[in-house]
Amino acid sequence: MAQDTTFSRIVRGEIPAEIVHQDDLVTAFRDIRPLAPTHVLVVPNEVIPTLADVSTDDEPLLGRMLRVAADLAAQEGIAQDGYRVAINCRDHGGQEVYHLHLHLLGGRPLGGMVGR
Ligand code: AMP
């Protein structure tokens, strides 16, 4: 299948994941190697490889991804103390899975953004 990814298989329920939200545009599930007490990935149901590949047509999708992240942060009980939302893009961004996703991280102080 063209542009099939691990994450699209999770979206379709073909491989297991702890899904915490799914709607017509996005799916959210817990990261398999969590970096913080809360580490959830929010992905588009349809594959877009990277943030560098989004178009104007994707603006509603990008808004939904952020809205769902904020709702999940509240649901996870981390909104008051705060959290981080991150998108890694391509090689220098450290992207491993070429299916656009945001990381919702929280539940402990996360420190600085990037090590010096
Ligand atoms: P990135 O480096 O931004 O591409 O992040 C990819 C993330 O996907 C990593 O944090 C991985 O731990 C996570 N990941 C990879 N495979 C799975 C999977 N099958 N289920 C849940 N998370 C995964």
PDB file of all heavy atoms in Angstrom, residues 4-5 92 105 107:
ATOM      1  N   ASP A   4       2.030   3.615   3.378  1.00  0.00           N
ATOM      2  CA  ASP A   4       1.578   2.957   4.599  1.00  0.00           C
ATOM      3  C   ASP A   4       2.671   3.132   5.657  1.00  0.00           C
ATOM      4  O   ASP A   4       3.854   3.092   5.349  1.00  0.00           O
ATOM      5  CB  ASP A   4       1.347   1.474   4.322  1.00  0.00           C
ATOM      6  CG  ASP A   4       0.405   0.867   5.336  1.00  0.00           C
ATOM      7  OD1 ASP A   4      -0.340   1.633   5.988  1.00  0.00           O
ATOM      8  OD2 ASP A   4       0.420  -0.351   5.479  1.00  0.00           O
ATOM      9  N   THR A   5       2.265   3.375   6.892  1.00  0.00           N
ATOM     10  CA  THR A   5       3.216   3.573   7.983  1.00  0.00           C
ATOM     11  C   THR A   5       2.743   2.789   9.199  1.00  0.00           C
ATOM     12  O   THR A   5       1.580   2.363   9.267  1.00  0.00           O
ATOM     13  CB  THR A   5       3.307   5.063   8.376  1.00  0.00           C
ATOM     14  OG1 THR A   5       2.082   5.445   9.020  1.00  0.00           O
ATOM     15  CG2 THR A   5       3.565   5.960   7.174  1.00  0.00           C
ATOM     16  N   HIS A  92      17.196  16.613  10.574  1.00  0.00           N
ATOM     17  CA  HIS A  92      17.754  17.436  11.644  1.00  0.00           C
ATOM     18  C   HIS A  92      16.780  17.592  12.802  1.00  0.00           C
ATOM     19  O   HIS A  92      17.201  17.877  13.932  1.00  0.00           O
ATOM     20  CB  HIS A  92      18.174  18.815  11.106  1.00  0.00           C
ATOM     21  CG  HIS A  92      19.463  18.783  10.348  1.00  0.00           C
ATOM     22  ND1 HIS A  92      20.198  19.915  10.053  1.00  0.00           N
ATOM     23  CD2 HIS A  92      20.164  17.737   9.827  1.00  0.00           C
ATOM     24  CE1 HIS A  92      21.295  19.581   9.384  1.00  0.00           C
ATOM     25  NE2 HIS A  92      21.291  18.264   9.222  1.00  0.00           N
ATOM     26  N   LEU A 105       3.748  15.894  25.829  1.00  0.00           N
ATOM     27  CA  LEU A 105       4.614  15.414  26.912  1.00  0.00           C
ATOM     28  C   LEU A 105       4.324  16.194  28.182  1.00  0.00           C
ATOM     29  O   LEU A 105       4.237  17.441  28.151  1.00  0.00           O
ATOM     30  CB  LEU A 105       6.082  15.636  26.550  1.00  0.00           C
ATOM     31  CG  LEU A 105       6.631  14.835  25.373  1.00  0.00           C
ATOM     32  CD1 LEU A 105       7.743  15.600  24.680  1.00  0.00           C
ATOM     33  CD2 LEU A 105       7.140  13.490  25.864  1.00  0.00           C
ATOM     34  N   GLY A 107       3.726  15.796  32.915  1.00  0.00           N
ATOM     35  CA  GLY A 107       3.687  14.970  34.122  1.00  0.00           C
ATOM     36  C   GLY A 107       4.941  15.099  34.955  1.00  0.00           C
ATOM     37  O   GLY A 107       5.026  14.531  36.050  1.00  0.00           O
TER      38      GLY A 107
END
